[in-house]
Amino acid sequence: MAAAQDLQMEDMEEEMEEEKKMREDGEGKDPFKNKKVHRIVSNWMLPEHARRTYMERANCLPPPLFIISISLAELAVFIYYAVWKPQKQWITLDMGILESPFIYDPKKREEAWRFISYMLVHAGVQHILGNLIMQLVLGIPLEMVHKGLRVGLVYLAGVIAGSLASSIFDPLKYLVGASGGVYALMGGYFMNVLVNFREMIPAFGIIRLLIIIAIIASDVGFALYRRFFVPANESPVSFAAHIAGVFAGMSIGYTVFSCFDKTLLKDPRFWISIAAYLACVLFAVLFNIFLSPAN
């Protein structure tokens, strides 16, 4: 009996050693433990000192639902206004979206949901494609690393900052598009690449910076066109959300994305950035109540 028990214990120990080795080598049969994708993501999204921690706990549970859900909602709203609402043409939408209950309308600022819901409405094919490509290509890897709660915090901080900034610096103009949220993600990622440039593989770092700059130049160019060169029969759209989104990303986004292997709520930088953000929000709210030219 004792010999049988010893043999059983040896078998169990051998199985445990094999499982441990499989986990270390990333060769387990569980598809969520396939390390190849996670290794690529960690190289692009994290500095070297944080990659080991990520690889040890990497999984796809929960999957990147926030970015995918937001993208599907934006696409669904665009299709609705492009197909089911009367339009002269759907490459660039005009009157259909300007009558939308989602758009930020300076004349209807008392409808507070518009300060967030404007992100669901886009001005045309180029506008929505640019935002969807940027937030999916960048947002999904970020959400794989930092999970939906943190990515959602940064994204919505950029959205709210965008509408409030537009209400101050472009108070009489409409606002559409998810650029505030997208640029917040890009701002946070951009700061991490700059701060950890050497650790995030210099060649990749240069490529990433060039890609970000090219995408920003294209999107900002479209926003400037919609603001200053729009035809007389269409309404200009504000571009202040782009700038505000970048600043939200470079403050809150950088703090959130740089705390991968730390407890976010214990990082004083997080609370400093949140306090500064809330102070700006409070100023914007008071400006809209008492000083806005749109009153």
Side-chain angles (χ1 to χ4, degrees):
M1 179 69 69
Q5 289 180 349
D6 290 340
L7 183 61
Q8 186 177 8
M9 290 293 295
E10 289 178 2
D11 291 339
M12 291 177 62
E13 290 176 358
E14 289 178 359
E15 290 177 3
M16 292 175 63
E17 285 293 326
E18 289 179 2
E19 290 178 2
K20 182 179 179 181
K21 190 174 181 179
M22 289 171 68
R23 286 196 301 269
E24 292 175 348
D25 295 338
E27 296 177 356
K29 294 182 180 180
D30 186 348
F32 295 124
K33 293 296 183 181
N34 186 345
K35 300 297 183 182
K36 185 175 181 180
V37 173
H38 293 295
R39 189 173 294 110
I40 295 172
V41 169
S42 68
N43 287 338
W44 278 82
M45 296 292 146
L46 293 170
E48 187 174 358
H49 67 269
R51 292 176 196 157
R52 181 180 181 87
T53 303
Y54 172 72
M55 293 300 295
E56 289 175 351
R57 65 190 193 192
N59 60 68
C60 293
L61 296 174
L65 292 177
F66 175 79
I67 288 295
I68 293 175
S69 300
I70 287 291
S71 300
L72 289 176
E74 293 166 0
L75 182 60
V77 171
F78 177 80
I79 292 174
Y80 172 76
Y81 283 105
V83 177
W84 284 286
K85 296 292 285 186
Q87 297 287 331
K88 295 178 181 178
Q89 45 86 34
W90 61 277
I91 298 298
T92 300
L93 308 183
D94 41 59
M95 294 308 297
I97 60 170
L98 295 180
E99 297 170 356
S100 169
F102 299 127
I103 189 175
Y104 170 77
D105 185 341
K107 300 175 184 177
K108 300 179 179 179
R109 287 171 297 130
E110 69 279 1
E111 298 175 353
W113 71 83
R114 292 177 180 266
F115 284 87
I116 297 178
S117 63
Y118 78 93
M119 71 179 181
L120 299 173
V121 187
H122 288 78
V125 173
Q126 180 181 352
H127 193 199
I128 190 170
L129 283 181
N131 280 342
L132 287 181
I133 290 172
M134 284 190 287
Q135 70 186 28
L136 288 172
V137 170
L138 182 60
I140 287 178
L142 281 173
E143 193 169 346
M144 288 176 63
V145 173
H146 300 285
K147 302 306 179 184
L149 185 61
R150 292 190 177 192
V151 172
L153 171 65
V154 175
Y155 190 91
L156 293 177
V159 169
I160 296 172
S163 57
L164 291 176
S166 179
S167 70
I168 295 175
F169 298 106
D170 226 349
L172 303 179
K173 299 298 183 289
Y174 295 96
L175 180 64
V176 296
S179 295
V182 174
Y183 275 64
L185 298 181
M186 295 178 71
Y189 178 67
F190 182 81
M191 283 296 294
N192 270 293
V193 172
L194 286 181
V195 173
N196 303 291
F197 186 80
R198 293 184 178 181
E199 295 185 26
M200 295 177 79
I201 308 177
F204 281 177
I206 293 173
I207 293 173
R208 280 176 284 194
L209 290 178
L210 291 176
I211 291 173
I212 291 174
I213 291 171
I215 293 174
I216 289 176
S218 174
D219 192 58
V220 169
F222 179 76
L224 291 173
Y225 167 78
R226 289 286 301 176
R227 174 61 180 84
F228 295 108
F229 303 101
V230 68
N233 61 338
E234 297 182 18
S235 297
V237 176
S238 174
F239 69 97
H242 297 73
I243 300 173
V246 168
F247 279 107
M250 294 176 71
S251 54
I252 293 179
Y254 167 66
T255 305
V256 170
F257 295 153
S258 64
C259 288
F260 166 74
D261 53 353
K262 302 175 183 177
T263 302
L264 184 61
L265 298 181
K266 294 182 179 180
D267 191 330
R269 297 176 304 165
F270 173 71
W271 293 110
I272 292 172
S273 62
I274 288 293
Y277 181 85
L278 292 178
C280 292
V281 169
L282 178 61
F283 171 80
V285 171
L286 294 176
F287 177 90
N288 275 277
I289 294 174
F290 299 109
L291 301 174
S292 176
N295 289 339

